[in-house]
Amino acid sequence: MSLRRLSGVSHLRIGLLLGHLALPVGLWLAVRIGRARFVGLAFYLIAATLFVDVLLLVGRPSSETVAADILDARAVAIVLVASAAVLALIGPGLVFYACVTTVLVAIFLRAFALENADTSACIDLTLLCGTSILLISSQVFTVAYYTNVADTINHTTTAMVLRDSQWLSAISSTRYYFFAAFHVLASTGMQFTKISPRPFMGVLMALLFQIALLAGYLFFNEWSHSRSLALIATGFVSINIAFLHYGSIAHYQSMSFVLFCVFLYLLYRGSWTGRDIAVTVPILAAWIATHHVSILIAIFITAVPTGYLAINALRRRTKDTTANHTVFMFLVFCLMFGSYWALITTKFREILIWVFFSSATAEGIPSRIYLIDTVSSVEQLIAESIPFFVDSVHYSFLLALAGIGVLVILTTDLFKTLRWRLILLAFLPAAALYFPSPVWIPLEGLIPYNRLRLMVLPFLVLVPAAGFRYGARPTDGSTLRRGIVVLFTAALVLTTITSGLTHPGLTDLLGIQKGPQEHITNEELAATDFVFAHANDQQSVYSRSDLMVYQRQYAWEQQSPAAPDQFVKMRASQADRQLITKPGLTVVSVAAFRNNGIRTVLVDLNSSRYGGYEIDAPVYASNYRWNRTNTSVVYTNGPVVIQYQ
């Protein structure tokens, strides 16, 4: 469809006009509210709208395909190998990110040839999986122990305990007992491969997430009936920040996401033969025994298109065997899930207690996450919103493509087909839960943002893929238009992967904001060995947040007599701008404090800005002091110092 025909659709013209008029009003309101995150949200929405304008100017939204010359896969493979060499020789950084971006842009451009050329998607999927493994490896295998979240330590240690005891009862006192499928898999793998736990978990997660990509491609192809769209959507998943985050950490929701992708492909095939039952039921059983909240999210998001299928079949009164089988399989899964939670676990009761009584939202605490940071100066407000905007700009690219995708679907014959109505219907709740908005103020107090963002991915990416495939059309038009779309694609890829990766991330590369150290070094591991060799059973041990979690889990895995509450997060006084030392041992990660910063508990907060709360936040040597002379130094290996008081 041409832009002239598109401009003739009155309701879309009005919607676009109102959207543009709302932008300055929204920015004004965000400035009046005086909170940096709100201003950052306004900036990313403005950027998304501008990107839509650019794509409408350079593209020709249409459901027709265009001819495309396929890029030589050998050249793309050479750049992929070069990326691996750069990672091995130089490490993660701008050069590595540029090489990977080149590979991914080439894969996206190759996707346009899949519908018009007699070529297979296997080569492109192989290249995509290779790139995904490189991105995950750049986080996990370039440091001693990657701990982007503390749960990595918890789940790795749980698998180690299972491996050593070889009995599930060894973790009966933990919250993982009823959801131990991931830990059983990991412990069994450790036992058979004899690989040490930390590298094994990295390898396991990288391989599992390639299964998710392959299952995702099959699901996208089943829904869209387009290999090109399926490859583009799979590419969007592979670079997504939630995908990179959970692919880099040892977490049972990571395996839950993989099984969800497999389930979606099996579900929407609509087949229910004996072979399908033999494959599907064990997968469902394993998934139910893997995680808890993520399955609730999956049921909620999958119920929308599945419910529409059921309603459509009833309204038309047709015997659609595929739809009936899909609905039946979904109901069987819900019954299996509900039975396990109600009859074997106590999760239903725990969820109700959490939502209505003990969560941050129920206690009214989420205001301290988003709303406490009020700034009266407009200049300071804009300056403090820049890091959040830079970290969120990748949403602008994807949101712009989603907007183009919605225009293409609504203004072409695509909307007349059932599968595209399903795709659009499933996209709407996924988009509401994925893209940042003020609705996250209460939701963040119920469930971490990353968890929802990961589980909605399969239903989110097909509409932006349609926007890219049928709207951006980098193989159609003048050289200038093609160049703009290619630059847009490169910017989308680069900003997304650098926002999803943490050392270095996008704000680190731009020098805007340093993130705290998100890994444990070999020197910190050695210092922990010293602590357990010399500390007594009553001595408190203070250390940065991630290292404290490692020490607690180390005591459990080693069956140490030390009590968990002996290991405490280090504190820092915001009023005095210094690290706090207390009686006992204080493990100071000096190198991290001076370079990347360390995460501690901030106390003595400014009550006018923070309402008297304590928060877990990074501190840096540039603005906090560390008094090394007020206590005795009992151990040092250079980067780490242990003080005694």
Side-chain angles (χ1 to χ4, degrees), residues 299-477:
I299 288 176
F300 167 76
I301 201 75
T302 309
V304 177
T306 307
Y308 180 78
L309 267 181
I311 294 171
N312 184 71
L314 290 174
R315 187 179 60 185
R316 293 179 178 271
R317 297 183 179 181
T318 59
K319 293 184 178 180
D320 188 340
T321 305
T322 300
N324 292 340
H325 286 167
T326 296
V327 174
F328 178 69
M329 186 185 295
F330 180 70
L331 293 176
V332 168
F333 169 66
C334 292
L335 180 63
M336 292 173 62
F337 169 75
S339 299
Y340 185 73
W341 272 38
L343 302 178
I344 299 177
T345 76
T346 59
K347 273 298 169 184
F348 276 130
R349 184 176 62 187
E350 292 178 18
I351 291 294
L352 291 175
I353 293 174
W354 170 256
V355 170
F356 294 106
F357 299 101
S358 60
S359 69
T361 297
E363 295 179 359
I365 298 178
S367 60
R368 88 185 204 189
I369 302 173
Y370 289 104
L371 304 182
I372 51 176
D373 201 2
T374 304
V375 181
S376 56
S377 167
V378 175
E379 294 79 6
Q380 183 185 357
L381 179 64
I382 293 176
E384 292 190 9
S385 70
I386 294 300
F388 178 79
F389 166 68
V390 170
D391 263 341
S392 302
V393 72
H394 62 94
Y395 292 113
S396 302
F397 290 98
L398 197 64
L399 187 59
L401 287 177
I404 297 295
V406 171
L407 289 177
V408 169
I409 294 170
L410 292 179
T411 58
T412 65
D413 292 337
L414 292 178
F415 192 68
K416 296 179 181 179
T417 62
L418 175 62
R419 66 176 182 272
W420 278 102
R421 292 199 298 273
L422 283 176
I423 290 171
L424 184 58
L425 189 63
F427 166 79
L428 297 177
L433 294 174
Y434 179 82
F435 292 106
S437 68
V439 75
W440 274 102
I441 297 172
L443 286 181
E444 181 72 15
L446 289 174
I447 185 171
Y449 186 18
N450 272 332
R451 293 193 174 185
L452 279 167
R453 189 164 51 189
L454 178 72
M455 299 307 291
V456 303
L457 271 184
F459 292 117
L460 178 84
V461 292
L462 268 176
V463 170
F468 185 73
R469 179 71 180 87
Y470 300 126
R473 301 161 70 86
T475 55
D476 193 19

Side-chain angles (χ1 to χ4, degrees), residues 29-107:
L29 288 174
V31 172
R32 286 293 301 269
I33 293 172
R35 291 165 178 123
R37 279 180 177 261
F38 279 35
V39 176
L41 288 174
F43 283 157
Y44 109 81
L45 290 174
I46 291 172
T49 305
L50 294 177
F51 291 151
V52 168
D53 294 338
V54 170
L55 291 174
L56 288 175
L57 288 173
V58 303
R60 294 183 176 89
S62 170
S63 60
E64 300 175 357
T65 57
V66 294
D69 296 326
I70 190 164
L71 300 172
D72 194 334
R74 291 172 295 183
V76 183
I78 290 172
V79 179
L80 179 60
V81 173
S83 303
V86 169
L87 179 62
L89 297 174
I90 302 177
L94 188 57
V95 177
F96 170 68
Y97 296 151
C99 292
V100 171
T101 298
T102 303
V103 175
L104 289 165
V105 170
I107 292 173

Side-chain angles (χ1 to χ4, degrees), residues 25-263:
V25 177
L27 181 60
W28 177 78
L29 288 174
V31 172
R32 286 293 301 269
I33 293 172
R35 291 165 178 123
R37 279 180 177 261
F38 279 35
V39 176
L41 288 174
F43 283 157
Y44 109 81
L45 290 174
I46 291 172
T49 305
L50 294 177
F51 291 151
V52 168
D53 294 338
V54 170
L55 291 174
L56 288 175
L57 288 173
V58 303
R60 294 183 176 89
S62 170
S63 60
E64 300 175 357
T65 57
V66 294
D69 296 326
I70 190 164
L71 300 172
D72 194 334
R74 291 172 295 183
V76 183
I78 290 172
V79 179
L80 179 60
V81 173
S83 303
V86 169
L87 179 62
L89 297 174
I90 302 177
L94 188 57
V95 177
F96 170 68
Y97 296 151
C99 292
V100 171
T101 298
T102 303
V103 175
L104 289 165
V105 170
I107 292 173
F108 283 128
L109 296 181
R110 281 176 56 85
F112 282 80
L114 285 180
E115 311 290 44
N116 300 305
D118 185 18
T119 183
S120 171
C122 294
I123 296 175
D124 300 284
L125 283 173
T126 302
L127 293 171
L128 197 60
C129 289
T131 307
S132 174
I133 291 174
L134 272 185
L135 289 173
I136 293 173
S137 299
S138 72
Q139 298 293 278
V140 178
F141 297 116
T142 55
V143 294
Y145 194 1
Y146 183 66
T147 55
N148 180 262
V149 294
D151 276 346
T152 290
I153 304 168
N154 298 333
H155 293 296
T156 302
T157 306
T158 302
M160 293 167 64
V161 170
L162 272 179
R163 178 203 59 184
D164 296 338
S165 67
Q166 299 184 359
W167 291 98
L168 194 59
S169 58
I171 62 169
S172 59
S173 61
T174 70
R175 58 193 174 98
Y176 310 131
Y177 180 65
F178 291 110
F179 304 96
F182 170 71
H183 311 95
V184 170
L185 174 65
S187 62
T188 303
M190 291 177 194
Q191 184 71 28
F192 278 95
T193 62
K194 305 302 180 184
I195 301 176
S196 59
R198 290 193 291 275
F200 175 82
M201 296 301 268
V203 171
L204 176 65
M205 299 317 303
L207 294 179
L208 281 177
F209 268 54
Q210 306 322 302
I211 296 175
L213 288 182
L214 296 177
Y217 173 82
L218 293 174
F219 166 64
F220 300 142
N221 192 38
E222 186 71 32
W223 253 27
S224 66
H225 293 184
S226 167
R227 291 180 299 164
S228 176
L229 275 175
L231 182 61
I232 295 170
T234 307
F236 285 161
V237 171
S238 73
I239 64 174
N240 189 270
I241 59 174
F243 183 89
L244 294 175
H245 172 76
Y246 276 96
S248 303
I249 64 175
H251 200 285
Y252 51 172
Q253 181 167 341
S254 300
M255 180 168 159
S256 177
F257 172 72
V258 175
L259 294 174
F260 180 42
C261 292
V262 175
F263 169 67

